[in-house]
Amino acid sequence: MNLNEIAKKMCAKGKGILAADESTGTIAKRFKSINVENLEKNRLNFRQTLFNASAMKEFIGGVILFDETIKQKSTLGPTIPELIFKHGAIPGIKVDKGAKPLAGSSEETITEGLDGLRERLNEYYNLGARFTKWRAVYKISGKFPSIQSIKSNAHALARYAALVQEAKMVPIIEPEVLMDGSHNIDKCYAVTTDVLNECYNELEVHKIDLKGTVLKPNMIVPGTECKDKSSSDEIAKKTLDCLKKNVPNEVPGIAFLSGGQSEIEASKNLNAINKINDTNFLITFSYGRGLQASALKEFGKNQNNIVNIQQAFNHRAKMNGLSSKGEWSEDLEKGPVA
Ligand code: 13P
């Protein structure tokens, strides 16, 4: 498969991406919330339970893994990438080394991980990865995000993308404008516009083949502390408008992060966007919490109750699969689980 075919398969209609690439620190927070010890065997157990679920074949086009997971063997024999491949999805890998303090800006971050990336990419390719992820983070607060943060993170994303395409993998470009704060939806729209513009400027400078990329953006939503709440219809309209104005047509797939939305909000908003999607973009999900929160709760109740954990995951995967086609409805949330 060439890069464009891989990108289209990851975001195929009715399917999306499972972001199971929490770093050891992030999964520690998730496990703490369900009183599970953050041990390698528990991380493997939770993740392989999801990768073996029946929803994988129908609703998941790609799975983003963390360094530890891509090197693990499932307890049933195959390696984790082999298991994902067997279930019809493409294995991918988070390759950034996290958001670190940005020198010269007191409250912002720059995503690191470019040093030695070429060698790591070759290793990941040999382990079975066919796409990668790099997340840049922007916070809205007072004068932030600064031009320094917008420019430096876009530059790093473009250098990352160039190395990834050289290694014959599809880069997911993830510029995440955080939901934290009291800003309104129009501020989110304005900041996301600036961020996307700078990213695509840099991607052009670095001669990235956009047909072989996937964009993973935030939706256009008000800050979590904003008094003015927005309807799904407003979120959908503003999100689609922002993407149409700032994302080049050659980009085949756009897969949103859930960013702290509840599972149902994330499905409802994605559905509303797809209902009015009049573009050629394949618009879908690349959710972490939006796909795993209920399954994680079941895992916390009983780590060995594979049926309940998989049922919770199957249901969310199915709901989001429907949302990627604009066919989700609130009633389906009450229906029998998949
Ligand atoms: P959430 O959907 O939980 O925001 O995670 C997606 C992700 O991969 C963040 O980098």
Side-chain angles (χ1 to χ4, degrees), residues 39-76:
L39 302 176
E40 183 178 349
K41 73 172 169 51
N42 293 343
R43 296 192 288 271
L44 174 63
N45 188 19
F46 178 62
R47 286 167 169 155
Q48 73 175 6
T49 303
L50 303 190
F51 305 157
N52 269 318
S54 61
M56 285 287 296
K57 271 216 162 73
E58 210 175 335
F59 306 114
I60 303 296
V63 180
I64 317 174
L65 300 168
F66 183 59
D67 180 75
E68 171 185 277
T69 326
I70 200 169
K71 295 169 178 165
Q72 280 170 327
K73 255 190 154 195
S74 80
T75 48
L76 299 172

Side-chain angles (χ1 to χ4, degrees), residues 77-125:
T79 67
I80 292 292
E82 282 165 358
L83 182 68
I84 290 166
F85 211 73
K86 196 180 103 192
H87 285 98
I90 303 175
I93 178 80
K94 182 229 299 288
V95 300
D96 68 67
K97 296 231 164 180
K100 305 288 160 61
L102 176 63
S105 176
S106 55
E107 296 180 37
E108 299 181 288
T109 60
I110 176 74
T111 301
E112 294 188 350
L114 291 170
D115 287 357
L117 182 56
R118 180 178 272 129
E119 292 72 27
R120 287 195 290 129
L121 290 171
N122 289 335
E123 184 190 4
Y124 290 139
Y125 186 94

Side-chain angles (χ1 to χ4, degrees), residues 193-319:
T193 295
D194 291 347
V195 163
L196 289 175
N197 261 312
E198 191 56 31
C199 285
Y200 284 104
N201 283 341
E202 284 289 338
L203 291 168
E204 191 182 340
V205 170
H206 288 259
K207 304 188 209 68
I208 304 306
D209 173 12
L210 295 180
K211 290 197 197 77
T213 65
V214 168
L215 174 67
K216 174 162 174 163
N218 50 283
M219 293 182 193
I220 304 300
V221 291
T224 41
E225 250 100 276
C226 178
K227 290 186 296 303
D228 301 322
K229 301 296 169 210
S230 297
S231 65
S232 274
D233 288 342
E234 185 185 8
I235 290 169
K237 212 164 146 277
K238 292 198 163 148
T239 302
L240 193 65
D241 191 61
C242 186
L243 296 174
K244 276 160 103 164
K245 291 197 173 123
N246 300 298
V247 182
N249 287 330
E250 302 98 288
V251 173
I254 297 178
F256 291 104
L257 55 95
S258 59
Q261 298 180 43
S262 72
E263 288 179 321
I264 300 218
E265 268 171 351
S267 297
K268 187 174 180 178
N269 291 336
L270 177 63
N271 187 61
I273 293 166
N274 272 304
K275 274 201 140 137
I276 58 166
N277 180 14
D278 56 357
T279 69
N280 288 326
F281 299 133
L282 292 161
I283 297 186
T284 188
F285 57 92
S286 174
Y287 293 163
R289 287 161 287 181
L291 266 175
Q292 299 178 90
S294 296
L296 202 61
K297 260 192 210 144
E298 292 302 330
F299 187 70
K301 285 185 209 159
N302 180 353
Q303 291 185 40
N304 298 316
N305 194 335
I306 291 175
V307 172
N308 282 8
I309 299 163
Q310 290 185 338
Q311 256 183 10
F313 173 69
N314 287 340
H315 180 62
R316 285 273 44 93
K318 180 176 179 180
M319 292 299 103

